[in-house]
Amino acid sequence: MFNRRTFSRTVVGLGAAAASTAGPRPATAAPDSAAPATPAAPATPTAPGAPAEPAAAGAAFARPSQVRAGVLDIGYAETGPADGPAVVCLHGWPYDIHSFADAAPLLAAEGYRVIVPYLRGHGTTRFRSARTVRNAQQSAIALDIVALMDALGIDRAVLAGFDWGSRTADIVAALWPGRVKALVSVSGYLITDRAAQRRPLPPAAEHSWWYQYYFATERGRLAMEDRDHRRALCRLVWDTVSPTWAFDDATYERTAAAFDNPDYAAVVIHNYRWRLGLADGERRYDAIEERLAARPVITVPTVTLDPECDPFTAPGDGSSYREMFTGRYLHRTLRGVGHNLPQEAPAAFAEAVVDADRL
């Protein structure tokens, strides 16, 4: 049986050892001559959170590996045995792979091969062609992860994520369930319903999304293109959506380095404008978006996690999205935890991955 107490104690010991043990893997995608050079069951009762010690920047991944996958050259961290069952951990905004710097080695110690990619526009992930549209609509990001799995020779994996990462994992699980052994989705079912996005929310909920509306303006775009404004804005979001998390400056700066990607501003701005219907997607993704607009259910074994202190957590202890998960299922609410759940409560997040895999 999974020993939560022992698992929690392992966080500090393994956090500093989150280096890749498998090294780079060969790419299987065809080269792109225009590619730029790449820089070096019912729900369970509510569960308590398991926050780590105040976050410090000591736990870090080794230098990311790179692999050509679809339209991207994806930077990713890897840890754990190369022949272990695969877990793909997906970060959100404004975060990066270090949201999993403590959870990944815990999973590696359980025998998993853990892959943590930078999403498009983040860190060392680059578009392979200058001609590729800097598109961040949900289907494009989901296809990035399918392409990554193909490039790394991963047929099936446990997908686990939060924020953009939850949405991406949800989409892959809904549309390509044969590729997903199990799912961990922080905040539940996050597939974007653009039609619903046209309807106003209660004022308090709208207030929490202030940056989404800021990004709809030219001022917001310019702020994201300016390094100092960008870092200050993202730091404010960290403080706001994780009000109980004690992190130090070095921890934030380690992640903020991923925001210096040359496509970061374009990707972030397009993502939020597309959600609101203020930016177009690409026609090649129309068929997938039509399937997503139909609100497909997720049939794979799933654990959903709600962070209690996240302003975006829906009321009702998961009841608002329960009907969207029709396979084996567990739900937990983590007390005292904010939006960046994998980094605030790495042991609880890793435990959810193991539990999902065993459903």
Side-chain angles (χ1 to χ4, degrees):
M1 293 294 292
F2 191 91
N3 188 322
R4 185 188 193 110
R5 194 173 310 169
T6 302
F7 203 62
S8 299
R9 286 201 302 266
T10 313
V11 173
V12 176
L14 287 177
S20 172
T21 59
R25 296 184 173 274
T28 58
D32 184 339
S33 59
T38 302
T44 57
T46 298
E53 295 297 317
F61 291 110
R63 182 175 179 174
S65 301
Q66 299 289 139
V67 65
R68 288 187 172 187
V71 301
L72 301 176
D73 190 317
I74 296 180
Y76 67 98
E78 179 170 350
T79 188
D83 60 350
V87 176
V88 180
C89 295
L90 302 171
H91 68 80
W93 182 86
Y95 306 97
D96 81 328
I97 63 174
H98 291 100
S99 287
F100 305 98
D102 288 317
L106 292 173
L107 292 167
E110 293 289 313
Y112 290 98
R113 176 189 177 191
V114 186
I115 308 294
V116 189
Y118 284 110
L119 299 185
R120 56 171 58 195
H122 294 73
T124 62
T125 291
R126 297 290 188 273
F127 287 89
R128 294 170 58 196
S129 171
R131 297 188 298 270
T132 302
V133 177
R134 273 37 179 176
N135 178 355
Q137 70 186 102
Q138 61 183 352
S139 54
I141 298 174
L143 286 171
D144 292 343
I145 302 309
V146 175
L148 173 67
M149 292 173 63
D150 289 344
L152 295 179
I154 298 172
D155 182 55
R156 296 175 75 222
V158 177
L159 299 187
F162 74 107
D163 195 88
W164 290 20
S166 287
R167 178 172 299 105
T168 303
D170 288 353
I171 292 169
V172 178
L175 299 188
W176 301 284
R179 305 301 300 270
V180 182
K181 185 179 181 185
L183 172 69
V184 174
S185 185
V186 176
S187 304
Y189 189 91
L190 292 187
I191 296 175
T192 297
D193 182 346
R194 292 183 87 199
Q197 290 278 83
R198 300 189 188 103
R199 298 190 292 271
L201 299 171
E206 298 283 22
H207 178 266
S208 296
W209 284 105
W210 64 270
Y211 55 84
Q212 179 171 248
Y213 309 121
Y214 184 44
F215 293 160
T217 71
E218 182 65 5
R219 284 168 61 122
R221 184 186 67 80
L222 292 173
M224 289 303 288
E225 290 180 350
D226 180 277
R227 186 175 186 270
D228 292 338
H229 283 300
R230 178 171 67 234
R231 290 197 175 206
L233 185 151
C234 293
R235 176 67 182 254
L236 176 61
V237 172
W238 275 40
D239 290 334
T240 303
V241 302
S242 293
T244 61
W245 184 31
F247 61 90
D248 60 19
D249 291 342
T251 297
Y252 176 71
E253 290 300 324
R254 181 184 63 186
T255 285
F259 310 159
D260 293 334
N261 184 298
D263 298 306
Y264 185 78
V267 164
V268 172
I269 293 298
H270 184 266
N271 179 281
Y272 288 102
R273 289 184 178 182
W274 177 86
R275 290 196 218 177
L276 292 176
L278 302 176
D280 293 331
E282 292 180 82
R283 292 189 64 181
R284 60 176 164 162
Y285 300 118
D286 283 354
I288 295 176
E289 293 296 347
E290 288 174 7
R291 295 173 65 189
L292 296 175
R295 306 285 286 166
V297 298
I298 293 173
T299 61
V300 304
T302 298
V303 175
T304 57
L305 301 173
D306 273 355
E308 179 194 33
C309 297
D310 182 356
F312 306 118
T313 295
D317 198 23
S319 61
S320 64
Y321 53 73
R322 175 64 184 91
E323 65 182 6
M324 306 308 296
F325 299 93
T326 61
R328 296 186 296 277
Y329 181 80
L330 295 172
H331 173 77
R332 293 169 184 154
T333 295
L334 302 189
R335 303 298 182 196
V337 175
H339 189 73
N340 188 6
L341 187 150
Q343 198 164 1
E344 297 181 54
F349 183 83
E351 182 179 14
V353 171
V354 175
D355 290 345
D357 189 29
R358 293 176 179 175
L359 281 175

